[in-house]
Amino acid sequence: MTVLVLNASYEPFQKVDLRHAIRMLVRGVAVVEEAEEGRTFGHFPVPRVLRLVRYVAMRWRHGRRPPWSKRGVYLRDQGLCGYCGKRGHTIDHVLPQSRGGADTWHNTVLACGKCNNRKGDRTPEEAGMRLRWELRVPRWEELVGL
């Protein structure tokens, strides 16, 4: 179960698991904004939404692009293969790493095993494949899961 955490200004901040949310309540850094009806954890209601007691500046989110990560590619592509649209499980490099392709937002896409094997160590053009969408740098909100 995930819990949405709001900044003190009520803007979405991040999502955390229930265990982390309870620790935030125990430490007094957050308060419950919305709880599951009739469920408690000790003397705390089981939260759905928490709000931080103090405002946390989010300059990191606005001043620079999110760093590349495998998890980020999965979230950006919404778990779908960039070639066929089915469930994707692997990261594919549009320009293969063996040819100098880097781990960047504009060179990686989520792929299913079948498409990844079909493409192999070639570019999509060489393999006769087409990307279903344009590769892009995701927004912070997509990566945080808000």
Side-chain angles (χ1 to χ4, degrees), residues 29-87:
V29 298
V31 294
V32 177
E33 282 295 317
E34 185 179 317
E36 295 220 3
E37 199 170 311
R39 293 185 60 201
T40 60
F41 191 88
H43 65 278
F44 295 107
V46 173
R48 283 189 189 158
V49 180
L50 293 180
R51 182 179 47 84
L52 296 176
V53 174
R54 293 181 140 178
Y55 180 79
V56 175
M58 295 191 297
R59 278 183 237 117
W60 56 272
R61 220 186 254 187
H62 302 294
R64 58 190 171 107
R65 298 166 22 165
W68 181 90
S69 68
K70 289 180 180 180
R71 181 176 183 274
V73 173
Y74 184 85
L75 292 171
R76 178 197 67 187
D77 296 350
Q78 298 176 348
L80 302 175
C81 175
Y83 299 108
C84 70
K86 294 180 181 169
R87 229 347 117 209

Side-chain angles (χ1 to χ4, degrees), residues 67-77 89-91 93 97 103 105 108-110 143:
W68 181 90
S69 68
K70 289 180 180 180
R71 181 176 183 274
V73 173
Y74 184 85
L75 292 171
R76 178 197 67 187
D77 296 350
H89 303 290
T90 62
I91 300 294
H93 291 79
Q97 286 182 305
D103 289 339
W105 293 114
T108 52
V109 65
L110 196 62
L143 302 181

Side-chain angles (χ1 to χ4, degrees), residues 1-14:
M1 178 180 169
T2 59
V3 178
L4 175 63
V5 179
L6 305 175
N7 209 337
S9 59
Y10 289 91
E11 61 186 323
F13 186 69
Q14 68 178 1

